[in-house]
Amino acid sequence: MEFVNRLVDVAARAMNNNIVIDVCLLASFATLGMRSVHQQKVIEALEAEKENLIKSNKAMRKTMWDWKQQLFSEASTDSALVPLTRLRAIYGEAPTAQSAAGDAAKSSGSVKFIV
C-alpha cells in the first residue's frame, strides 16, 4: 500500500512541476508534427495518382472517340457489315423507330394504344 501512496505522491508532484508539463506538451507537439508530415506525404502521393488517372482517362476517352469515328467511317461505306443508322442508334446518336414513335405520341397529346 505504501508503494501506491508513493506513486500517487510522485504523480502529484509531477503534475505541479512545469518541466514535466512542458516535456509532455513538447512530446505531444512532436508527435502531431510527425503525423502531419506523414499525412502530407500521403496527400501528395494521392494527388499525383489522381493526376495520372485523369491523364489516362483522357487518353482512353480520346482512343475510344477515334475508334468510334473510324467505325462510323467504315459503316458509311456500301460494304459495311452494320449500317451507319444502326450504329448511331446503338450509340444513342440517332433516334430509333421506337423512340421516334414515342416522341410523336407525346407531342400529339393524345394517348394511343398499340396492341
Side-chain angles (χ1 to χ4, degrees), residues 9 14-15 39 45 52 66 71-72 77 84 91 94 106 109 111:
D9 187 43
M15 293 288 281
Q39 287 176 342
N52 288 336
D66 292 342
L71 184 63
F72 281 176
T77 63
L84 182 61
Y91 283 105
K106 288 179 187 176
V111 177

Side-chain angles (χ1 to χ4, degrees), residues 1-55:
M1 189 70 180
E2 187 169 323
F3 178 72
V4 173
N5 286 337
R6 274 188 153 181
L7 263 167
V8 170
D9 187 43
V10 169
R13 275 193 250 140
M15 293 288 281
N16 293 331
N17 192 347
N18 284 339
I19 294 174
V20 173
I21 293 172
D22 291 343
V23 168
C24 290
L25 289 174
L26 185 63
S28 299
F29 180 74
T31 303
L32 290 174
M34 289 184 341
R35 187 180 75 170
S36 177
V37 167
H38 174 70
Q39 287 176 342
Q40 185 63 33
K41 288 180 182 178
V42 168
I43 288 171
E44 289 170 357
L46 289 173
E47 286 175 351
E49 183 180 355
K50 177 184 174 184
E51 290 175 12
N52 288 336
L53 288 173
I54 288 172
K55 287 178 185 176

Side-chain angles (χ1 to χ4, degrees), residues 46-77:
L46 289 173
E47 286 175 351
E49 183 180 355
K50 177 184 174 184
E51 290 175 12
N52 288 336
L53 288 173
I54 288 172
K55 287 178 185 176
S56 67
N57 282 345
K58 286 181 181 179
M60 281 190 284
R61 273 191 237 128
K62 183 181 180 334
T63 302
M64 289 173 55
W65 174 259
D66 292 342
W67 286 347
K68 183 177 166 185
Q69 295 306 313
Q70 181 183 0
L71 184 63
F72 281 176
S73 67
E74 290 174 1
S76 64
T77 63

